[in-house]
Amino acid sequence: MTGRAGIIGFPVAHSLSPVFQGAAFAAAGLDITYELWETPPGSLPARVASLRAPGTIGANVTIPHKEAAAALVDSLDDAARTAGAVNTIVTHHGRLSGHNTDGPGFVRALRDEASVEVGGSRFLLVGAGGAARGIAFALAAAGAARITIANRTAPRAERLAAEVRATGYGQVGTADLAAGLSGFSVIVNATSIGMAGGPDPDGLPVTLETATEGALVVDIVYRPEETPLLREARARGLPVLGGLPMLIYQGALAFELWTGQPAPVGVMFESARASLEDGRTLPR
Ligand code: NAP
């Protein structure tokens, strides 16, 4: 298989995706190049249209284009339609299908890297931004026992809960973090707190004193790989999962959509970790 793919975003220069997708194509023996497609908002329609050209297998889409891209493709999968956002486009004979692998990548990371099945788990999801949205819809689709959303701007959490409920999933609500963390089997930080270069790199999105013994603490922030929240969780003896697995599995699902082959996940992790340690890339 030959061809080209790339990532559409603005700014996109420091994305990790070219590192691990390039490594994956090489490891799979595929002659596919993966390019950085820096795309200011006004150029998005032309950029997406260019994916119809022969030889292009598709693209990833990142900030700030995920919602706008959903209106520019020919069809949407269920995850993209529900989330109203596309992070992967597949080109097939000049037609473009839009997919969302962010939430499904999170679910696969939980299963493959933390041995957690979504069905039967009770989730506290902290945050209601773009990443939290993808996760909330994916957890609902995967049959979570309960999803509770808490966000600094409470009406945003309430809106997201209502949207998830509108998909036919009833076990979703909102909470104030002051009410404590007992009863949750998985606690997820989907805010930017703890992210290097973000609004509060040294902060904690939740305090863990009231967490149930054995609760899994997940931080979707992946730079640094060990965030203050994960350090705090480890110190309390709680199991943890960092953000890199979600990033890798959303990419692995995209790779599988483009190529029809299983993604070489180990190679993707290795190359991403080497690049993060190198400090050459910034958050996607
Ligand atoms: P976003 O749409 O801008 O949402 C940011 C969220 O963080 C909102 O819920 C916001 O609350 C909250 N927040 C920001 N600063 C805060 C503060 N000081 N105190 C309390 N809450 C605060 O961003 P996003 O795209 O969802 O990304 C969020 C994080 O996830 C980023 O660090 C990003 O790198 C990471 N991420 C990781 C992956 C992965 O694959 N691992 C994928 C996507 C994103 P308000 O609503 O109150 O503003």
Side-chain angles (χ1 to χ4, degrees), residues 116-137:
V116 166
E117 290 299 336
V118 169
S121 297
R122 299 170 67 87
F123 289 84
L124 173 66
L125 179 59
V126 186
R133 288 179 60 81
I135 290 171
F137 289 117

Side-chain angles (χ1 to χ4, degrees), residues 99-120:
H99 307 257
N100 195 314
T101 67
D102 283 329
F106 178 81
V107 168
R108 188 154 149 195
L110 279 181
R111 191 192 68 196
D112 290 6
E113 303 294 323
S115 304
V116 166
E117 290 299 336
V118 169

Side-chain angles (χ1 to χ4, degrees), residues 16 222-223 225 244 269-281:
L16 261 187
Y222 57 84
R223 187 188 181 86
E225 208 177 347
L244 193 59
F269 269 110
E270 244 170 64
S271 58
R273 285 210 168 100
S275 178
L276 281 171
E277 278 158 22
D278 243 21
R280 274 177 295 141
T281 49

